Amino acid sequence: MKYLLHYILLCSCLKEGQAVLSTGMSSGDGPYGGDNQSNNMETNDRKERNDENLCRSQIAKVQESVAIVTKVRRQQDDTSGTTMGINIDNKDTHKDELNSERSEFRQYRSNLMSLALCFHEKGATSKAFQIYQGELRRLFKDYAFPLVNIAYIYFRQGEPFQALNSLQMYFKEVEGTHVTDKDSIIFGTPCNSKAMFLEDCISALNLLGLTYFNLYDHQKAISAYNRALEIGENKNSAISAIADIHENLGTLEYELGKYELARASFLRAFLVRNVRRLKVMGTSNYKSADFMPFVQWALLVPPMPRSIEDALGLSHAFNYSLEILKTLIYQGGLGLEIHSCEDTGTQNEIDDKNLYHHQEETCLSIRRNHNDKTELSSLQRLVLRYLKPQDIQLMKNIIPSIPPLSYFEANAVLESLHHFHIQFYGFHDRSSLESVSLLLSKVTKPLVHSPSPSLFDEFPSIKTDDNEKNDLEQLKPRRRRTILFMSCLFSGSEPHGQLVLDVIRRLPKVIFQCVAVGIGSKTPGNDFLSALHGKYYSAGNDRDKAAQLIMSLNPECIVFVENLNNPIMHFLAYERFAPIQILLMGAPITGGIPSSIDYFLSGDRLEHPFRTQASGDLSHLEPYTEQVVLFDGQAISFPEHQYHPPQDSSLTAGEAPFSSYSLIYSSFGDNDSHHDTTSYDELNVPVVDGSIYMCFQNIFKIHPIFDSVIVKVLHGDPKGHFVLQAARINHKTKLVKDRIRKLVVETVCSKPSAANTVTNAKRTEDIHTSTNHTKNGIDICSEAQTLLSRIHFIPRVNSDQLTFLFQRATVVLHPFPFDGSKTASDVLGSGVPLVTFPQRYLRGRLASTLYATMALHEIDPGVKSTTCCVASDIGDYISKALRLGLDGEYRSRVAHAIQLRKHRIHDDQETSFEWARFLTRALGVRITDEDLARQMDYVPHPWQKAEFHSEIILDQQRRWKRAKLEAHILLQ
C-alpha cells in the first residue's frame, strides 16, 4: 500500500487533479488489502527526475498563475489592494474565493493541485495538506476532489474519523440534490457508470470502504466496495481502481471469515491487472505489481482451523502455495498447470455451499513431467473456487504468459498479508516463514532510504524534553546510543508497550537514549510517553513515513517488538536501518528474515530445557532464523501499576453482544440469548453456584486441541461453568462454538438417526418440547444440552476491568499450544491460580517462567508450582484444573501463596539489567557488569541470583527426562 497519486493536467475534456487512492487496510485484529503500485501513471523518465527540481517547476507554474490571477482580479475589482501568492510557508495571504469558470482560475487550480501532489509524493504531507485545505478548498469551494486527498492523509495518519468526515463531505458535494462541485455540475456526477471521471468516485469509494473497515463497520465497507464495482466494472478507464477494490474486498471478506470468497476476490484482482497488461504491453516489461494479488491469494491462511485435521491440511496447503510462488518466480507460468480436479470432493468446508453447488472444481498445480501419470493427491493441488467459467478461462490464458519474475526488477509494494495466523496452528514454522520472506523479497520493492525533508515539520506533535538537549543532531560523535523501539501495539490497551516499558524506564540514560515509533492509530498511555521523555513518533498507517522517521532518528539499534502482527511492521523488518536490529517476543516466533534481523531476544527459562543451537543434521529443528540471545532470569516483565487510557466499550467488544449467554442457546442462532435463564453480573460473568473456569484469551489461541480440555473439565465438575472470550467479529466466535458443539455431541450423545433428527424447519415449534435439539442436522441430546449450557462466551472488556474480571474466576486456564505473557502476568497479579502447560517452543512457555520466579513452595511446601499449576501433559493439566476448581481449601492455599509472591513478577529489575548487559556488548560500550549495575541501582534479590536460576533449569531438565522415560516405558 504505497500512496502514489497520479493526476491528469488540464485540457479541454479532462479534469485536473485526479488521484487514485488505492490504499491498504488497517485494523486491530489483524490484517490488510490493496496494492497501489499499478496506479502510478508516471513514466520512468519522470521518476528519475529530481523531486526537488520537480516541485520547483511546479512552484514556478503556480507563481506564474498567481501573477495572471492577480492581474485578472485587479481588472475585475479595479483595485490594486489585493495580492495573490502561493502559501508554502504557512503564511495565509489569500483573501477571497475564486470561481473555477474562468480559464485563468482553472489553470491556477490545476497548478496548485499539481504542486500539492508533488509535495504529497515526496512525503511532505503537511505542505500538501496545507495546499489541499488552506488553498484549494478555501479558494475553490466549488472543487470537491481535494477532500479525497485530505481524507487519504487523515487515513494514513491513523485518523479514520476525520477521514470519514472529509469523504462524506465529498459525496455531499458531487451527488444528490445540492451538488456544489463545478465539474459535477458541468459533466455530471462522477458516481455514475457513464461518468467521464468515474475513477474519481471509485477512488473515493475505495477509501470510504477502507475507513469503514477501520471503524469495524463492515456492512458499510461492503456497500462502498459493491457500489464502486457497480460503477466501474468492465470500464477500461477504471481498471486499476477496480483491481484495488477487488483486493480490498478480499481483505474484508477474509476478516469476515469468508475465506474462499476472499481468495476469489484476490484472483479477480489478479485477472483484472493482467488482462490490462496483456492488452497494453504483452509479456514485456512485466511488473511484479501485477503479480501481487496472486501472492495474497497464495499466502491466505484462515485465522483458526476447524479441527486438528484441518490445521494440518491448511499447513500443508500453505507450504504447497509457497512452492507454487517459488515456481512462478523462478520458472514463470509455464511451470504451472490449471486442470480439472480429479477428486471433486471439497478439502475443507467453505463459506456458502449454495454458491458452490454443482460447480466443477478447477485446480492449480505445479506442472509435472509428461511421463508422470500418477494421480495428484489433495496435497499437490490448490482448488480455485468461486470463479466464473470466464474467469477460469482467463486464468488458463494468463498463467502461461507470466515470465519468471526473478528476471524483472521488484517494483511492487504489498501491505496486505494474510499468513500471520499460521503461528497459532502450533507447528514448527521456521522453514515456512523463511520461504515467505525470501519469496516476498524477490517481488516487493525495497524502501528508499531517504530522510524526511523536515522531521519536525512533518511531525509537529513531536515533543522535546526541556531538561535534555536534542541529540539527534547535537552529539557528533554521539556519546549516548539511540535505541529505537518499534511496534503497532504500543497503546495503553495493548500488551507490547507494557512489555518494554520497564526496560525503557531503567536503561541508564547516560548510555542510552530511547525513542519509539508507533504504527497505526492508537495512542500510547501517559506512562509510556513519560518514560520516553516525549520522544514518541507516530507514523500512522504510512510505511514510507515510518521509514523516513527511522532514518531521521538515525538509531544505532532498532528493536522490532513484533513483526507478525502487522504488514507495515513486517516489511520494515526487511530493511537494514541500523547496525544492530533485534526482534522481540511480541509475536513469540521467529521472523524468518535472515538478512536484516540480527538477534531474537528470549530467556533461558523461556526455551526448551535442553535447547541448543541445532546445526548439521539437526539444523531443521532450530526454531529461529536469528541468533538467539537467552537472558537469565524471568526475561519478561510488566509493570505492576499500569495506565489504561479511556476506551470505547463498543469498540472493545466489536460485534460481540453485550449480554452474554451460554453455548446451548447460541447453538440455534447467535441472537437466541433470550432463552437463557442464567444470571450474569456487570462484567457478563455467569453468577452460579459452581466453579468458574475462565480462559479469557484472544480466540485465535483456542486451538482445536484445547476444545477437549474444556469438555473434560466440565465432565469432571458437573456444576462448573467455563467462560471464554468472544471475538470482535462474530464469525470467529461462531467457528469455535461450532467446533465445541460438534465435539460435545460426538462425546456425549449417541449417533443421530434419521428417525430422531429434528429438521430445522420444525425446530422452532418443537424447541421447548423436544428432548433433542437440532442444529444443522446434528442432534443435541439432553446430556449435551446440559453441558453446553455451562459454556459461556462473553464480550471483551476494557483493560482497566481485567483485574476485576479475573477475580470472578475460580481458576484461570491458560491455553496451549499458544499461551500468553501479559494475560498470565495480569491473572497472577490478581491473586488467582493459573494452570499452564509448557510447550516445546517459546510461544507456549511464557507463563511458566512467572511461577518459577514466585517459588510458591517457599511459602507453603505443599504448593509447589509443578504440583498445583504447571502441568506436564494434557491429563495432568485437566487434573490440576479440577483440583483447583473443586478443592476450596487447597485453592485458598495456592491463592494465598500467589498473593504473597506476586510482587516478584512485576517490575523485574533483572530483566532490564539483562537488556542493558546485552545492548552494551552488542553496541561496543565498554563497561563492567558491576559498573552497569551501579548505573541502574540494581542489587539482585536472592531469586535473581545465579544459584536460584540454575536450580530452576535443573528442575526443568529433570522433569523433562522423567516424562520422556515414562513415555518410552509405556510404549514398550
Side-chain angles (χ1 to χ4, degrees), residues 594-606:
S595 60
S596 55
I597 300 296
D598 305 301
Y599 302 102
F600 186 98
L601 300 190
S602 184
D604 207 13
R605 283 160 35 185
L606 292 173

Side-chain angles (χ1 to χ4, degrees), residues 14-26:
L14 292 179
K15 146 182 182 181
E16 81 284 4
Q18 184 179 6
V20 176
L21 304 172
S22 174
T23 183
M25 288 189 165
S26 176

Side-chain angles (χ1 to χ4, degrees), residues 237-249:
S237 62
I239 286 178
S240 295
I242 291 301
D244 295 326
I245 295 291
H246 281 302
E247 288 186 66
N248 290 339
L249 185 58

Side-chain angles (χ1 to χ4, degrees), residues 214-485:
N214 270 254
L215 298 173
Y216 296 102
D217 197 335
H218 298 132
Q219 290 307 312
K220 288 184 178 178
I222 290 174
S223 297
Y225 292 142
N226 285 338
R227 188 181 179 202
L229 292 176
E230 291 173 3
I231 294 171
E233 196 79 88
N234 301 320
K235 300 291 183 181
N236 291 332
S237 62
I239 286 178
S240 295
I242 291 301
D244 295 326
I245 295 291
H246 281 302
E247 288 186 66
N248 290 339
L249 185 58
T251 295
L252 177 55
E253 289 164 340
Y254 175 85
E255 288 298 312
L256 295 177
K258 301 176 180 179
Y259 307 122
E260 296 300 334
L261 288 176
R263 286 189 173 99
S265 291
F266 289 135
L267 285 182
R268 289 192 185 98
F270 170 71
L271 294 175
V272 170
R273 292 195 189 282
N274 283 272
V275 166
R276 178 195 185 198
R277 172 182 62 82
L278 288 175
K279 287 181 179 179
V280 175
M281 64 187 69
T283 59
S284 63
N285 196 26
Y286 191 88
K287 293 184 177 181
S288 59
D290 298 325
F291 179 59
M292 288 301 99
F294 190 90
V295 173
Q296 295 177 78
W297 170 80
L299 296 185
L300 189 151
V301 176
M304 296 174 293
R306 292 180 169 88
S307 63
I308 297 174
E309 296 78 10
D310 190 37
L312 184 61
L314 290 169
S315 179
H316 281 304
F318 178 67
N319 286 307
Y320 189 70
S321 297
L322 296 179
E323 292 300 316
I324 285 181
L325 289 179
K326 188 183 300 183
T327 301
L328 272 173
I329 289 172
Y330 292 105
Q331 299 180 34
L334 293 177
L336 303 178
E337 59 180 338
I338 297 176
H339 54 88
S340 176
C341 301
E342 292 88 345
D343 178 9
T344 57
T346 57
Q347 297 171 22
N348 300 301
E349 295 180 46
I350 55 178
D351 310 292
D352 188 344
K353 293 181 179 179
N354 292 327
L355 291 175
Y356 181 64
H357 189 55
H358 296 314
Q359 180 177 329
E360 182 183 1
E361 284 191 331
T362 303
C363 284
L364 177 66
S365 303
I366 297 174
R367 187 177 296 278
R368 299 177 296 168
N369 188 297
H370 67 278
N371 293 324
D372 187 352
K373 303 299 182 184
T374 58
E375 183 175 335
L376 289 173
S377 73
S378 61
L379 301 180
Q380 295 175 297
R381 64 190 183 203
L382 296 178
V383 182
L384 308 176
R385 295 194 175 104
Y386 290 172
L387 291 180
K388 301 174 183 176
Q390 56 267 36
D391 293 335
I392 296 294
Q393 187 57 49
L394 283 173
M395 285 288 291
K396 292 179 179 180
N397 295 336
I398 288 172
I399 291 292
S401 74
I402 299 177
L405 297 181
S406 57
Y407 293 173
F408 296 90
E409 179 186 358
N411 63 353
V413 176
L414 178 64
E415 291 181 9
S416 172
L417 292 172
H418 306 287
H419 71 283
F420 293 153
H421 292 95
I422 197 73
Q423 62 184 301
F424 297 108
Y425 281 32
F427 300 110
H428 180 73
D429 300 321
R430 193 201 80 198
S431 60
S432 298
L433 294 174
E434 286 178 348
S435 295
V436 170
S437 66
L438 174 65
L439 295 174
L440 290 180
S441 65
K442 295 291 185 182
V443 296
T444 56
K445 181 181 180 180
L447 289 167
V448 178
H449 291 177
S450 56
S452 170
S454 172
L455 179 66
F456 292 92
D457 178 52
E458 292 305 314
F459 297 88
S461 61
I462 289 177
K463 301 175 182 178
T464 55
D465 189 350
D466 293 336
N467 298 322
E468 298 183 55
K469 289 186 177 181
N470 182 352
D471 59 354
L472 286 174
E473 298 179 358
Q474 304 258 349
L475 298 179
K476 298 180 181 179
R478 184 177 299 138
R479 292 180 58 248
R480 291 193 300 169
R481 272 62 170 183
T482 298
I483 312 298
L484 188 151
F485 294 84

Side-chain angles (χ1 to χ4, degrees), residues 666-857:
S666 65
S667 295
F668 303 111
D670 289 332
N671 297 316
D672 225 358
S673 58
H674 57 279
H675 296 302
D676 194 351
T677 57
T678 306
S679 298
Y680 296 89
D681 63 19
E682 70 278 7
L683 293 178
N684 293 301
V685 178
V687 180
V688 293
D689 293 333
S691 298
I692 297 292
Y693 301 88
M694 183 179 291
C695 181
F696 205 71
Q697 279 279 7
N698 193 311
I699 206 163
F700 299 139
K701 298 182 181 181
I702 308 302
H703 195 278
I705 292 176
F706 194 75
D707 296 350
S708 62
V709 172
I710 299 171
V711 176
K712 290 176 181 178
V713 166
L714 294 181
H715 270 306
D717 184 354
K719 291 185 178 180
H721 287 248
F722 211 105
V723 173
L724 296 138
Q725 180 188 113
R728 283 194 180 102
I729 301 177
N730 283 335
H731 86 85
K732 297 174 183 176
T733 308
K734 182 180 183 300
L735 187 148
V736 178
K737 288 179 181 178
D738 291 343
R739 255 183 14 210
I740 296 174
R741 183 186 303 115
K742 182 179 179 182
L743 177 62
V744 168
V745 171
E746 291 175 349
T747 305
V748 176
C749 305
S750 60
K751 285 189 175 182
S753 64
N756 65 11
T757 298
V758 183
T759 64
N760 285 330
K762 195 170 172 32
R763 176 184 63 79
T764 304
E765 58 181 311
D766 290 348
I767 191 168
H768 298 294
T769 59
S770 173
T771 302
N772 287 13
H773 289 174
T774 301
K775 176 66 175 178
N776 293 335
I778 299 177
D779 263 0
I780 304 179
C781 61
S782 58
E783 294 86 352
Q785 294 173 37
T786 301
L787 194 149
L788 290 170
S789 69
R790 296 188 285 129
I791 301 175
H792 310 263
F793 285 85
I794 71 173
R796 297 162 63 100
V797 300
N798 293 343
S799 301
D800 57 354
Q801 298 175 306
L802 281 173
T803 297
F804 305 106
L805 177 75
F806 292 139
Q807 289 173 345
R808 309 292 169 91
T810 308
V811 57
V812 175
L813 305 186
H814 226 29
F816 55 83
F818 198 114
D819 60 13
S821 56
K822 178 64 163 58
T823 302
S825 177
D826 288 342
V827 171
L828 295 174
S830 304
V832 179
L834 172 78
V835 179
T836 184
F837 174 22
Q839 302 294 294
R840 180 179 181 86
Y841 301 120
L842 168 65
R843 58 192 166 195
R845 302 181 62 85
L846 295 166
S848 59
T849 188
L850 304 180
Y851 271 118
T853 298
M854 290 191 293
L856 301 181
H857 61 281

Side-chain angles (χ1 to χ4, degrees), residues 42-219:
E42 301 176 17
T43 64
N44 290 334
D45 176 68
R46 178 182 166 191
K47 289 181 72 65
E48 292 173 358
R49 292 164 60 187
N50 182 276
D51 282 338
E52 187 66 28
N53 290 334
L54 176 64
C55 282
R56 285 178 178 173
S57 68
Q58 297 300 326
I59 290 174
K61 290 182 180 180
V62 169
Q63 290 172 339
E64 291 176 4
S65 293
V66 166
I68 295 172
V69 169
T70 301
K71 182 177 179 180
V72 171
R73 288 297 302 272
R74 285 174 176 171
Q75 292 174 349
Q76 289 179 338
D77 300 338
D78 194 26
T79 178
S80 60
T82 302
T83 61
M84 306 295 294
I86 176 60
N87 173 6
I88 59 174
D89 293 317
N90 203 27
K91 297 176 182 178
D92 187 4
T93 58
H94 293 305
K95 302 298 181 183
D96 303 313
E97 177 185 350
L98 300 178
N99 190 306
S100 297
E101 292 182 356
R102 288 189 62 108
S103 61
E104 296 92 340
F105 296 166
R106 286 182 64 84
Q107 185 62 56
Y108 180 35
R109 188 185 82 176
S110 173
N111 291 337
L112 277 175
M113 191 66 174
S114 298
L115 178 60
L117 292 173
C118 179
F119 282 136
H120 206 157
E121 290 173 344
K122 284 184 57 180
T125 52
S126 64
K127 292 183 181 297
F129 184 89
Q130 174 188 324
I131 298 175
Y132 291 142
Q133 185 80 291
E135 308 290 341
L136 285 165
R137 283 296 296 168
R138 189 173 57 79
L139 291 174
F140 300 96
K141 295 185 183 298
D142 58 356
Y143 183 34
F145 194 79
L147 289 167
V148 181
N149 287 0
I150 290 170
Y152 179 75
I153 292 175
Y154 279 134
F155 181 85
R156 297 284 278 182
Q157 290 177 345
E159 302 179 47
F161 287 105
Q162 288 87 337
L164 181 61
N165 289 336
S166 293
L167 289 169
Q168 288 174 336
M169 189 180 302
Y170 168 77
F171 286 109
K172 181 179 179 181
E173 293 184 13
V174 301
E175 61 179 351
T177 55
H178 301 289
V179 175
T180 58
D181 178 65
K182 183 64 68 175
D183 294 316
S184 297
I185 294 172
I186 297 173
F187 302 107
T189 176
C191 299
N192 185 297
S193 60
K194 298 181 180 180
M196 181 179 298
F197 309 115
L198 57 86
E199 197 172 2
D200 283 6
C201 184
I202 294 172
S203 300
L205 287 168
N206 183 23
L207 186 53
L208 183 66
L210 292 168
T211 304
Y212 278 130
F213 179 91
N214 270 254
L215 298 173
Y216 296 102
D217 197 335
H218 298 132
Q219 290 307 312

